[in-house]
């Protein structure tokens, strides 16, 4: 049994013969491609007008509080004016947050209205001598 290696094939193949094989392979590829392009039908064609919109005029719209959008009031490409509502938010979460915040405010107001007992002023155990030195060194 004889083993065939790539190096053996390369020595038997002449350079002119290799270039002819490569040339015919390229020609065959292009002929097959042209035949395919001529015989294939496209299902759909789309014709549309485009418009370039500069990025400097686009604005990012974001909601600081978060939530669920119930309705979008504008479409892409619509002209909007300052103050015009763009979306409507779902009020379920906002109402829950409002109730929680109102409860917190009421609790803080109640806490503020209760008089606090003041603690007596702190006095040093060493008296008035050597106030500039730490306690451990005062003895």
């Amino acid at each position: 049994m004889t083993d065939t290696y790539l190096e053996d094939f390369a020595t038997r193949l002449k350079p002119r013969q290799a270039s002819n094989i490569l040339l015919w392979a390229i020609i065959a590829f292009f002929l097959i491609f042209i035949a395919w392009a001529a015989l294939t039908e496209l299902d759909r064609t789309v014709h549309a007008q485009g418009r370039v919109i500069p990025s400097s005029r686009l604005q990012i719209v974001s909601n600081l509080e978060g939530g669920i959008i119930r309705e979008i009031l504008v479409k892409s490409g619509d002209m909007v004016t300052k103050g015009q509502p763009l979306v409507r938010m779902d009020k379920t979460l906002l109402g829950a947050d409002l109730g929680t915040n109102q409860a917190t405010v009421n609790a803080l107001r109640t806490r503020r209205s209760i008089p606090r007992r003041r603690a007596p002023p702190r006095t040093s155990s060493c008296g008035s001598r050597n106030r500039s030195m730490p306690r451990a060194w005062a003895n």
Side-chain angles (χ1 to χ4, degrees):
M1 184 176 212
T2 61
D3 293 333
T4 308
Y5 296 103
L6 185 61
E7 291 85 14
D8 296 336
F9 182 71
T11 58
R12 285 187 280 160
L13 188 64
K14 296 177 185 170
R16 181 177 177 156
Q17 189 179 7
S19 63
N20 283 340
I21 291 172
L22 180 63
L23 177 66
W24 284 110
I26 292 172
I27 291 173
F29 172 77
F30 277 107
L31 288 176
I32 291 171
F33 176 75
I34 291 171
W36 172 81
L39 299 175
T40 303
E41 292 184 29
L42 295 177
D43 292 340
R44 296 182 190 118
T45 59
V46 177
H47 298 281
Q49 287 184 331
R51 180 172 48 156
V52 176
I53 300 172
S55 63
S56 62
R57 294 188 61 195
L58 298 178
Q59 300 293 321
I60 296 174
V61 178
S62 63
N63 181 10
L64 298 176
E65 292 85 25
I68 298 172
I69 295 176
R70 184 173 50 133
E71 182 181 5
I72 300 175
L73 302 173
V74 293
K75 296 180 186 118
S76 179
D78 286 353
M79 296 295 289
V80 295
T81 59
K82 184 177 180 180
Q84 177 183 351
L86 304 176
V87 295
R88 288 209 174 105
M89 303 296 291
D90 187 15
K91 295 181 181 178
T92 306
L93 292 176
L94 297 174
D97 287 342
L98 177 64
T100 304
N101 291 339
Q102 283 178 342
T104 304
V105 167
N106 291 338
L108 290 173
R109 284 184 181 156
T110 304
R111 183 185 296 174
R112 189 178 72 181
S113 66
I114 297 174
R116 282 195 257 164
R117 198 178 80 200
R118 296 196 176 220
R122 295 184 184 178
T123 58
S124 170
S125 64
C126 339
S128 62
R129 105 185 153 166
N130 296 332
R131 287 192 181 258
S132 63
M133 292 194 307
R135 262 181 156 165
W137 298 348
N139 295 335

